Amino acid sequence: MLSYFLGNSELSRGGTRMEKSQIEFRNVSFRYHDDAPWVLKNVSFTIDADEWVAIIGHNGSGKSTIAKLMNGLLFPQEGEIYVSGQKVNPDTIWEIREQVGMVFQNPDNQFVGTTVRDDVAFGMENHGMSRELMVERISESLEAVGMEAYERQEPHRLSGGQKQRVAIASVLAVSPKYIILDEATAMLDPKGRKEIMQTIRDVQSKRNLALITITHDLQEVTQADRVIVMNQGKVWMQGSPREIFSRKEQLIEIGLDTPFVSKLADELLNAGLSLSREPLNHQELLEELWTLHSTK
Ligand SMILES: Nc1ncnc2c1ncn2[C@@H]1O[C@H](COP(=O)(O)OP(=O)(O)OP(=O)(O)O)[C@@H](O)[C@H]1O
Ligand SMILES: [Mg+2]
């Protein structure tokens, strides 16, 4: 399983381009209509290949709009967006979409096939793959998300969580260079979410692949390499999860929560225990407590 995801396969893009593998937003401003308020205001950031970047922010802060701009579902009124050095515009969107795979919040709008298998195949047909490779990929990607038993099932009979797994399989099957998950695991239970994220991370870390996750699951955010925090259409802060979550009060001011472990650390601080760093997970918190204990 997962063999094709790993490393050197023929999937490393043919016709290798020499540009840097990254997505770049350069002073991007966007609004949905001429007289509507600006949804994004002068947004700039870069996401490199190999990176896992989480984008967080209050409801309506512009996260999904950013995702749609990344693969040319929308175009900015001001500024530019580059994917692997290529500017996103109506002439380049098909090439861009081969590189940028996206799974949204609501999987119902993403199904086109009459069976799960057809559905995963559909995305690949658009990318001109051989039949043999397609068959192999369908099985492998459905297996990766734990949906191999449902190949012949009609998509509309699946539960919300199963639909999301299939939507993720469809993106994995195409093997893009960048994967954007916009609340794509929101309908899964915590265990299912963890499993799928582990699969996606395995794929991401073993290939030259950038992962961009938009999520309200803060525990998941603590595992990302970098976090971009959006507030009212602007980039409020970028940094490592530790840098971001050590600013608890400011995060709360802009309508965000903090991870459970951060809250626990605060309680310990209030109780007079000073930790040497902001813990991001239970393991780190335990280590901090052991250190305190052994230096007493
Ligand atoms: N199709 C649309 N037409 C007009 N306005 C829109 C459209 N889609 C989004 N908006 C507005 O743009 C702003 C940003 O929306 P966006 O969906 O990008 O936010 P978000 O950060 O993804 O929010 P959430 O966390 O709720 O998913 C909001 O004010 C929203 O109402
Ligand atoms: Mg959204």
Side-chain angles (χ1 to χ4, degrees), residues 32-33 39 58-65 105 216:
Y32 281 91
H33 306 285
V39 166
H58 61 80
N59 293 122
S61 57
K63 305 179 299 292
S64 294
T65 304
Q105 218 154 349
H216 291 282

Short mmCIF file of all heavy atoms in Angstrom, two decimals, residues 32-33 39 58-65 105 216, ligand 1:
data_model
loop_
_atom_site.label_atom_id
_atom_site.label_comp_id
_atom_site.label_asym_id
_atom_site.label_seq_id
_atom_site.Cartn_x
_atom_site.Cartn_y
_atom_site.Cartn_z
N TYR A 32 -15.69 40.07 -3.46
CA TYR A 32 -16.56 39.24 -4.30
C TYR A 32 -17.31 40.07 -5.35
O TYR A 32 -17.66 39.56 -6.39
CB TYR A 32 -17.52 38.43 -3.43
CG TYR A 32 -16.84 37.20 -2.85
CD1 TYR A 32 -16.21 37.23 -1.61
CD2 TYR A 32 -16.79 36.01 -3.57
CE1 TYR A 32 -15.57 36.11 -1.10
CE2 TYR A 32 -16.15 34.88 -3.06
CZ TYR A 32 -15.55 34.94 -1.83
OH TYR A 32 -14.91 33.83 -1.33
N HIS A 33 -17.57 41.36 -5.04
CA HIS A 33 -18.24 42.23 -6.01
C HIS A 33 -17.62 43.62 -5.91
O HIS A 33 -17.03 43.95 -4.89
CB HIS A 33 -19.75 42.36 -5.71
CG HIS A 33 -20.42 41.03 -5.61
ND1 HIS A 33 -20.70 40.26 -6.72
CD2 HIS A 33 -20.84 40.34 -4.52
CE1 HIS A 33 -21.28 39.13 -6.31
NE2 HIS A 33 -21.36 39.14 -4.99
N VAL A 39 -12.49 41.37 1.13
CA VAL A 39 -12.44 40.16 1.96
C VAL A 39 -10.99 39.85 2.32
O VAL A 39 -10.69 39.39 3.42
CB VAL A 39 -13.09 38.99 1.19
CG1 VAL A 39 -12.77 37.67 1.82
CG2 VAL A 39 -14.60 39.19 1.11
N HIS A 58 -10.83 33.53 12.52
CA HIS A 58 -12.26 33.50 12.87
C HIS A 58 -13.12 33.24 11.64
O HIS A 58 -12.63 33.37 10.50
CB HIS A 58 -12.65 34.83 13.54
CG HIS A 58 -12.44 36.04 12.66
ND1 HIS A 58 -13.32 36.42 11.69
CD2 HIS A 58 -11.41 36.92 12.60
CE1 HIS A 58 -12.88 37.50 11.08
NE2 HIS A 58 -11.71 37.83 11.61
N ASN A 59 -14.37 32.92 11.84
CA ASN A 59 -15.30 32.70 10.72
C ASN A 59 -15.36 33.97 9.88
O ASN A 59 -15.48 35.07 10.41
CB ASN A 59 -16.72 32.39 11.21
CG ASN A 59 -16.79 31.06 11.93
OD1 ASN A 59 -17.18 30.99 13.09
ND2 ASN A 59 -16.38 30.00 11.28
N GLY A 60 -15.24 33.80 8.58
CA GLY A 60 -15.33 34.95 7.69
C GLY A 60 -14.03 35.73 7.56
O GLY A 60 -14.00 36.81 6.96
N SER A 61 -12.92 35.20 8.09
CA SER A 61 -11.66 35.94 8.02
C SER A 61 -10.99 35.82 6.65
O SER A 61 -9.98 36.46 6.39
CB SER A 61 -10.70 35.49 9.13
OG SER A 61 -10.45 34.11 9.04
N GLY A 62 -11.53 34.96 5.78
CA GLY A 62 -11.01 34.88 4.41
C GLY A 62 -10.26 33.61 4.07
O GLY A 62 -9.64 33.51 3.01
N LYS A 63 -10.33 32.60 4.92
CA LYS A 63 -9.53 31.38 4.72
C LYS A 63 -9.95 30.61 3.46
O LYS A 63 -9.11 30.24 2.65
CB LYS A 63 -9.65 30.47 5.95
CG LYS A 63 -9.26 31.14 7.25
CD LYS A 63 -9.41 30.22 8.44
CE LYS A 63 -10.80 29.70 8.68
NZ LYS A 63 -11.77 30.74 9.13
N SER A 64 -11.26 30.39 3.32
CA SER A 64 -11.72 29.63 2.15
C SER A 64 -11.49 30.43 0.87
O SER A 64 -11.21 29.86 -0.19
CB SER A 64 -13.21 29.28 2.27
OG SER A 64 -13.39 28.39 3.35
N THR A 65 -11.59 31.73 0.99
CA THR A 65 -11.31 32.58 -0.18
C THR A 65 -9.85 32.39 -0.62
O THR A 65 -9.56 32.28 -1.82
CB THR A 65 -11.62 34.06 0.17
OG1 THR A 65 -12.97 34.15 0.64
CG2 THR A 65 -11.42 34.97 -1.02
N GLN A 105 -15.02 21.60 2.51
CA GLN A 105 -15.84 21.28 3.66
C GLN A 105 -17.00 20.35 3.31
O GLN A 105 -17.30 19.42 4.03
CB GLN A 105 -16.45 22.61 4.12
CG GLN A 105 -16.56 22.77 5.58
CD GLN A 105 -16.54 24.27 5.93
OE1 GLN A 105 -16.26 25.14 5.11
NE2 GLN A 105 -16.83 24.57 7.16
N HIS A 216 -10.40 24.23 12.25
CA HIS A 216 -10.67 24.77 13.58
C HIS A 216 -10.14 23.81 14.65
O HIS A 216 -10.29 24.07 15.84
CB HIS A 216 -12.17 25.02 13.77
CG HIS A 216 -12.68 26.14 12.92
ND1 HIS A 216 -12.50 27.46 13.24
CD2 HIS A 216 -13.34 26.14 11.74
CE1 HIS A 216 -13.04 28.22 12.32
NE2 HIS A 216 -13.57 27.45 11.39
N1 LIG B 1 -19.59 33.76 -2.84
C1 LIG B 1 -19.54 34.81 -2.02
N2 LIG B 1 -20.14 35.97 -2.33
C2 LIG B 1 -20.07 37.04 -1.50
N3 LIG B 1 -19.41 37.05 -0.33
C3 LIG B 1 -18.79 35.91 0.03
C4 LIG B 1 -18.80 34.73 -0.79
N4 LIG B 1 -18.10 33.77 -0.17
C5 LIG B 1 -17.64 34.32 0.98
N5 LIG B 1 -18.05 35.59 1.10
C6 LIG B 1 -17.71 36.52 2.22
O1 LIG B 1 -16.29 36.66 2.27
C7 LIG B 1 -15.84 36.69 3.62
C8 LIG B 1 -14.75 35.61 3.81
O2 LIG B 1 -15.35 34.35 3.61
P1 LIG B 1 -14.53 32.99 3.69
O3 LIG B 1 -15.47 31.92 3.28
O4 LIG B 1 -13.28 33.13 2.92
O5 LIG B 1 -14.20 32.93 5.24
P2 LIG B 1 -13.60 31.73 6.10
O6 LIG B 1 -12.45 32.28 6.85
O7 LIG B 1 -13.38 30.55 5.24
O8 LIG B 1 -14.80 31.44 7.15
P3 LIG B 1 -15.25 30.04 7.84
O9 LIG B 1 -14.33 29.81 9.00
O10 LIG B 1 -16.66 30.35 8.30
O11 LIG B 1 -15.21 28.96 6.81
C9 LIG B 1 -17.05 36.52 4.49
O12 LIG B 1 -17.47 37.78 4.93
C10 LIG B 1 -18.08 35.91 3.56
O13 LIG B 1 -19.38 36.30 3.94
#
